[in-house]
Amino acid sequence: MSDHEYTPKSKFGKWFNDRLPLLTLANHLTDYPTPKNLNYWWTFGGILTFCLITQIVTGLVLAMHYIAHADMAFDSVEHIMRDVNYGWLIRYIHANGASMFFLAVYIHIFRSLFYGSYKAPREIIWIIGIIIYLLMMAAAFMGYVLPWGQMSFWGATVITNLFSAIPLVGEGIVTWLWGGYSVDNPTLTRFFTLHYLIPFLILGLVVLHIWALHVPGNNNPVGIDVKKPSKDTVPFHPYIVIKDGFALLMFMIVFAFFVFYSPNILGHADNYIEADPLVTPAHIVPEWYLLPFYAILRSVPDKLLGVVAMLSAILILAALPWLDTSKIRSAVFRPLYKQFYWILVADVLILGYVGAMPAEGLYLLIARVATAYYFLHFLVVLPVLGLKERTLPVPLSITESVLGGSPNPAIAKNKESLNN
Amino acid sequence: MSDKKTNRRDFLFTATYAVGAVGVGATIWPMIDQMNPDASVKALASTEVDVSAVTPGKTITVLWRGKPVFIRRRTQEEIVEARSVKLEELKHPQTDQERAKDPEWLVMLGVCTHLGCVPLDQKGDYNGWFCPCHGSHYDTSGRIRKGPAPTNMEIPEYEFVNVNTIKIG
Amino acid sequence: MKNFLKLIFLIIIFIGFQNNSNTAEKVEYLKTDWSFKGLFGKFDRAALQRGYQVYTEVCSSCHSMKYLSYRNLAEKGGPEFSEAQTKAIAASFEVKDGPNADGDMFTRPGKLSDKFVMPYENVKAAQAANGGAYPPDMSVLVKARGGGVDYIYSLLQGYEDPPPGVTLDDGVYYNKYMYGNKIKMANQLSDGLVEYSDGTNATVEQMSKDVTTFLMWAAEPHLEARHQMGFKAIVYLIILTILVYFSMKRIWSRIETKV
């Protein structure tokens, strides 16, 4: 992995390293040459690692007290909230941690979209990222079922019923998922098992994600290839570590506000009512981070096609490296793409908004237009734009763009947006 | 000049590390404390037992904090035997008076102090209890006389609420 | 940096907006000043104690609170009745226990570790006694309703004669804050219904506020600890952030001035 051979200084270190090159790995990680112009949008990789570890640790703790049984799950959650030492704190961190995790992952994804980080030679990193994102959604959904409140129960019913849209075998698959004729105790116990498993799968994929990243190295705001190590790069430690640490702390302040001062604002009141198979809540809404996809699902008036549209909306991202035909990575040098990028951001936010609204009247119309635009962006705008767009001149090195003094006025002008 | 600068830098980094370490410690504590007995477990710490049906020479076993408690109404011979033992003979010297407030009633945790098994009543070389796991012999006061157990069987906190009721814990 | 903060800020507003929009179609609730809101919010002890009185004397004949124990009434951050008072409260309830040595169930006076005694054996019995409507368990009721404390507070004072054109079945009442306006619980509160031992005038408004405060504590018994810890945690994080910021500046100054 490393360009230079590393030899430990101590005799024991050398002996150990010859047998298990952990020290070489540690040395690679600390010395890893990172573009020095990375802005704060690049700190979300570190923040996401923190989120994953937080969820795993608090989740392990909760699993020590939680009882995965339809008759006892709700009670055991209340037991955690009331009697377990610091149980309320740990549960609120875990519940809000899921939201913070998604907040961070969306920023991470949209950063990648803006700076073209998914493009060659980083397609594998991107696709692993999409798989991680899918697993996160599965884990979040199953985790939301565990407290066995009304939203848990009905959310589980609605989402598992999506599979019934599959022709011929759909009903059989749903019964198999449930382990019965409705969402019930067998469903709860298997969801608990999978909810426990998935984070470790994610952890494994994160290792691959980082491994794949360390082969070509980081993209950067200018989007050009960086010779490494060179004067365009800095060692990961301490430069990037401290910068990630600073951003992480800012993020933790926001996190703490949610946990300590409005721990239930991101949840839904109905989930404090114990699951009742006889009564459906008036409004079934998924957690905020799934709303855009929920809106896409509901905007299609056909059951099967709705499910297909929703899944395609996620899977289309995996094809992005090939749909985007532009040779230039960073949106900084793509004036038109930049406009479309912000339209996409707005489009997704609109989808999220209408996803929370009743699927009727104007909301439905907006959802349909926004869904159509979402696909249009990836299937038409990106391929055409890459071929037609007149891009701005790209600097030859980071140092040139950072230090300015470039004879090219366009580059000097773009300095501002590069450095944020 | 340059010395001063180094010092200030050192101070900044040291302060950052120190403050960071405090935070890590404060974060770890809840993760550890959550495994301690919770509020509902602590609240169940006392139990009341009706002993009106226990005749001399009988033992009842009740559950307290998930462990057995032996409540034995001792016969005169047992009391005499327990009180005539010389302290020097004991591995863990304790008088019977210390162990039984009311000589007729012996209330103790029925847990062998060796590795936590439940000893058998009226067995062993000293007419008291015998632990079948690793062969510890206890006398009529529940004191260790022979075998690997290091100390006498523990006496929990208890009191007579009235003549027929003992409150343990 | 600035953009970064702006975006975080926007997203938080967006999330908050999302959440509010879920309950947007509801009527304006009555407002009152809750002592437990805000960064340093704490419960009003006297209100909690009065609220408990209202709950026991009025609500508890139909509504259970199955997640609360009598010991909770003495715990820090709650009504903080004294140990002796709490024991007396617990002992005033008959608790079913058993089986005894003969295999029979028996009743005994309550202990601190006992859960609040339930008015009905089970949900079915509660429904049968209340015209088919189950009086919901009140342990987490405040958190289980969209409007939270404001909703409960308003509902208790929201009974009115139905507007013309609205007909009500037997056992159904009109309440302007209830979802759909039809409620199966009759108006329970009237001025002077309970006699507060601290001499507070038991108006409907006062009782509504007290019992709602009590319900808020019941749903969130660690609220005070949470607020206190939250303040400390955030102050700590801000201090550490500042330290890390200057450390970062120092480290990056080795290669360039801008971070």
Side-chain angles (χ1 to χ4, degrees), chain C residues 129-178:
Chain C
N130 289 283
Y134 167 60
D137 183 89
M138 283 185 163
S139 314
V140 282
L141 192 69
V142 168
K143 289 199 280 186
R145 295 293 178 271
V149 280
D150 293 328
Y151 168 74
I152 307 276
Y153 175 71
S154 307
L155 185 95
L156 288 170
Q157 303 173 63
Y159 286 90
E160 282 180 351
D161 290 331
V166 177
T167 50
L168 298 171
D169 296 337
D170 258 5
V172 178
Y173 307 87
Y174 188 86
N175 188 308
K176 68 173 165 176
Y177 299 106
M178 179 76 185

Side-chain angles (χ1 to χ4, degrees), chain A residues 302-364:
Chain A
D302 178 88
K303 187 172 175 178
L304 177 61
L305 290 180
V307 176
V308 169
M310 185 180 71
L311 285 178
S312 315
I314 304 165
L315 294 179
I316 202 169
L317 292 172
L320 183 59
W322 296 276
L323 288 172
D324 183 354
T325 49
S326 174
K327 294 273 176 291
I328 307 292
R329 289 200 190 98
S330 175
V332 173
F333 305 104
R334 298 181 63 191
L336 270 177
Y337 173 72
K338 209 194 254 173
Q339 308 296 325
F340 283 108
Y341 171 84
W342 287 112
I343 295 173
L344 180 74
V345 172
D347 187 62
V348 172
L349 289 177
I350 288 168
L351 279 171
Y353 176 72
V354 293
M357 294 292 125
E360 57 200 24
L362 187 62
Y363 293 129
L364 192 58

Side-chain angles (χ1 to χ4, degrees), chain C residues 183-210:
Chain C
I183 184 166
K184 287 202 167 178
M185 177 175 83
N187 189 5
Q188 298 294 332
L189 299 178
S190 56
D191 288 341
L193 181 68
V194 300
E195 197 177 315
Y196 283 137
S197 53
D198 63 359
T200 308
N201 189 11
T203 60
V204 168
E205 196 190 335
Q206 184 68 42
M207 287 185 285
S208 304
K209 190 172 175 181
D210 291 343

Side-chain angles (χ1 to χ4, degrees), chain C residues 96 118-126:
Chain C
K96 201 172 177 186
M118 307 232 273
Y120 302 103
E121 284 275 297
N122 50 51
V123 174
K124 285 268 187 270

Side-chain angles (χ1 to χ4, degrees), chain A residues 38-55:
Chain A
L38 296 189
N39 56 37
Y40 282 102
W41 301 113
W42 259 267
T43 60
F44 280 86
I47 288 171
L48 283 162
T49 313
F50 164 80
C51 288
L52 178 62
I53 291 166
T54 304
Q55 290 304 87

